[in-house]
Amino acid sequence: MSTAARISLLATVGLLVMTAVWGSTFVLIKGVLDRMPVADFLAVRFIIAAIVMFALFHRHVARLSRRQLWRGALLGAIYGAGQLLQTWGLALISPSVSGFVTGMYVVFTPILAAVLLRQRTPSVVWLAVGLATFGLGLLSLNGFSVDEGVWLTLLSALLYGLHIVALGHWSRADEAFGLSAVQMAVIALVCLLATAGHGGPSLPPDIDAWLATLYMALIAGAGAMLMQTWAQAHLPATRAAIVMTTEPVFAAGFAVAFGVDALTWRMLLGGGLVLAAMYLVELAPRRGGKDAPPAEAIHHEL
């Protein structure tokens, strides 16, 4: 196996680990949001993550060019807006519908890559997109009504797809620490501004809420952003998006493991389809049919 292939495999495994961490958060978040406003929770979570990341990586931030600083700020604004829209939408619709609609970033990502970056997407990737979308539907869709919550969540999925495409286009492995810290600071600012209407964020009400918030901030926030930024320096955006569709699979697995949900045929079949989509993308041709140029060749202007 070549060095490039080993790094690509490591990046894929890193994204899988990050997605597993995201999947573990659904049970934790539900308990916290019962006792704390959505915007306040997000603001506290990302402020903590930003403080920690700047304490660790401020020298890396200082070495970023002005162009990369602006790119990091734009990426953070996109991601922060997506977080708020997704969570506001969740307040208006069922979690199952929210999970499916959010997962539609796997459809938006190759479309945005084709439109914005003029990347040619091979047919096997579109087949994987279809399998992943159907699998997501089986995992989480128990009814669908096009109301305000659905539109808010769909817009968040579009922003997540845009973030994946732009991050894959702009991220460099040697700048991952600094770029992650800048993104986290802007995400925190966006969420903090969302609390301005009621005088700023309230703090977690008890020790359990604090522990959940710290886990979300440091592991699912700072750690996941760092891993995603590094991994996407080595992976095409569409491939990364399909790898990340395993989030509902992990979420269902944790729900079953903790006794929150029962194992069903929908979980098994839906999860199998998502994993099959990942397998197809991993087998996508590396020559002639690749859905993006090599990482070192894609850092030109949009």
Side-chain angles (χ1 to χ4, degrees):
M1 182 183 291
S2 67
T3 300
R6 283 196 297 269
I7 293 176
S8 178
L9 177 61
L10 184 61
T12 300
V13 172
L15 277 184
L16 276 174
V17 172
M18 178 202 75
T19 306
V21 169
W22 283 347
S24 72
T25 62
F26 284 82
V27 175
L28 292 175
I29 291 176
K30 184 173 178 60
V32 176
L33 294 184
D34 289 339
R35 294 167 288 161
M36 191 175 178
V38 167
D40 294 33
F41 166 70
L42 291 176
V44 173
R45 168 191 172 186
F46 286 115
I47 287 171
I48 293 171
I51 291 171
V52 171
M53 292 193 76
F54 263 84
L56 294 174
F57 305 126
H58 58 277
R59 290 187 178 89
H60 296 83
V61 173
R63 289 198 292 266
L64 292 176
S65 66
R66 180 176 297 180
R67 174 183 293 177
Q68 285 298 83
L69 287 171
W70 279 110
R71 287 173 172 176
L74 179 58
L75 287 166
I78 292 170
Y79 192 92
Q83 282 277 310
L84 286 167
L85 288 170
Q86 179 190 9
T87 312
W88 284 333
L90 179 59
L92 301 173
I93 57 178
S94 70
S96 61
V97 174
S98 175
F100 171 71
V101 178
T102 301
M104 291 300 291
Y105 65 72
V106 73
V107 177
F108 291 135
T109 299
I111 295 173
L112 289 169
V115 172
L116 297 178
L117 305 181
R118 296 182 177 86
Q119 292 179 3
R120 188 173 69 84
T121 303
S123 56
V124 68
V125 173
W126 287 114
L127 175 60
V129 166
L131 284 175
T133 301
F134 187 54
L136 286 168
L138 284 175
L139 277 169
S140 55
L141 190 60
N142 292 312
F144 191 89
S145 59
V146 182
D147 56 20
E148 183 183 357
V150 170
W151 291 117
L152 287 172
T153 310
L154 191 64
L155 183 55
S156 79
L158 179 64
L159 290 176
Y160 288 147
L162 180 60
H163 180 265
I164 292 169
V165 170
L167 183 60
H169 189 66
W170 287 337
S171 178
R172 297 180 180 178
D174 60 343
E175 296 176 340
F177 292 162
L179 192 62
S180 297
V182 172
Q183 289 182 81
M184 195 59 64
V186 176
I187 294 169
L189 178 61
V190 169
C191 295
L192 183 62
L193 290 174
T195 70
H198 54 270
S202 58
L203 296 177
D206 52 54
I207 186 64
D208 289 339
W210 266 112
L211 290 174
T213 301
L214 288 172
Y215 174 79
M216 292 291 297
L218 302 179
I219 308 300
M225 178 60 70
L226 181 61
M227 176 57 70
Q228 183 184 2
T229 302
W230 176 83
Q232 284 204 242
H234 302 286
L235 294 174
T238 299
R239 182 176 173 185
I242 292 178
V243 171
M244 286 188 281
T245 59
T246 55
E247 181 179 356
V249 179
F250 286 117
F254 280 110
V256 170
F258 285 104
V260 177
D261 210 343
L263 185 64
T264 66
W265 69 268
R266 290 167 64 99
M267 287 185 186
L268 291 173
L269 182 56
L273 287 172
V274 171
L275 294 177
M278 258 192 59
Y279 185 70
L280 277 177
V281 170
E282 288 300 306
L283 292 182
R286 294 292 184 263
R287 292 178 299 175
K290 191 173 182 180
D291 58 341
E296 61 271 16
I298 64 175
H299 301 294
H300 50 78
E301 284 295 320
L302 278 174

